[in-house]
Amino acid sequence: QLQLVESGGGLVQPGGSLRLSCVASGLPLRDYAIGWVRQAPGKERERVSCITLGGIGREYTDSVTGRFTISRDDAKNTVYLQMKNLEPEDTATYYCAARGGSSLPACTNEASKEHWNYWGLGTQVTVSS
């Protein structure tokens, strides 16, 4: 079983930056597409980014394009989400999730849990002055 652990969340001011990390264990991360999904109270769950095998493809939701950058280091079994110019609207719990293994490890725009094989427990990002 693939296990995912997020870290790097915290409280930042608007316009600030933060880098989230997702460390995988149990199975090789290189066999999975990895996404970041966020959940804020009263809002729909939203997939904010996804990275394909080998980092060949990267996807972002429109609201974070140009501000967030997803990357992966398969040698370290780690995926990152670099966030800059953060806005209060970015406040949410951020989860990393994996798709792959025996299934096709393609990215998806879907945010619901049934579309991802594995999930971490999340890290809180709060953007406030």
Side-chain angles (χ1 to χ4, degrees), residues 11 23 57 59-60 68 107 109:
L11 174 64
V23 179
E59 299 179 1
Y60 304 93
F68 290 12
C107 282
N109 291 323

Side-chain angles (χ1 to χ4, degrees), residues 17 28 30 32 37 52-53 62 81 89 94 99 109 116 127:
S17 298
R30 64 178 178 269
Y32 297 87
V37 179
T52 61
L53 300 187
D62 287 346
L81 185 68
E89 293 75 20
Y94 284 71
R99 290 165 51 86
N109 291 323
W116 301 86
V127 185

Side-chain angles (χ1 to χ4, degrees), residues 11-129:
L11 174 64
V12 297
Q13 295 183 355
S17 298
L18 205 60
R19 188 176 77 162
L20 306 183
S21 298
C22 174
V23 179
S25 61
L27 295 171
L29 185 67
R30 64 178 178 269
D31 296 331
Y32 297 87
I34 305 296
W36 287 95
V37 179
R38 66 187 180 187
Q39 177 70 68
K43 296 182 179 180
E44 294 282 329
R45 184 176 290 126
E46 180 182 35
R47 192 228 67 182
V48 299
S49 189
C50 185
I51 188 166
T52 61
L53 300 187
I56 301 301
R58 293 171 168 85
E59 299 179 1
Y60 304 93
T61 193
D62 287 346
S63 65
V64 309
T65 298
R67 300 188 298 117
F68 290 12
T69 302
I70 191 170
S71 61
R72 65 190 299 159
D73 186 342
D74 289 340
K76 296 181 178 179
N77 265 8
T78 302
V79 171
Y80 305 95
L81 185 68
Q82 179 68 55
M83 305 182 293
K84 64 179 182 181
N85 195 23
L86 284 161
E87 304 168 352
E89 293 75 20
D90 296 316
T91 296
T93 301
Y94 284 71
Y95 302 88
C96 71
R99 290 165 51 86
S102 298
S103 63
L104 185 67
C107 282
T108 178
N109 291 323
E110 299 290 339
S112 55
K113 290 192 173 183
E114 60 262 30
H115 289 93
W116 301 86
N117 299 112
Y118 303 98
W119 290 78
L121 295 180
T123 185
Q124 179 66 36
V125 172
T126 302
V127 185
S128 177
S129 59

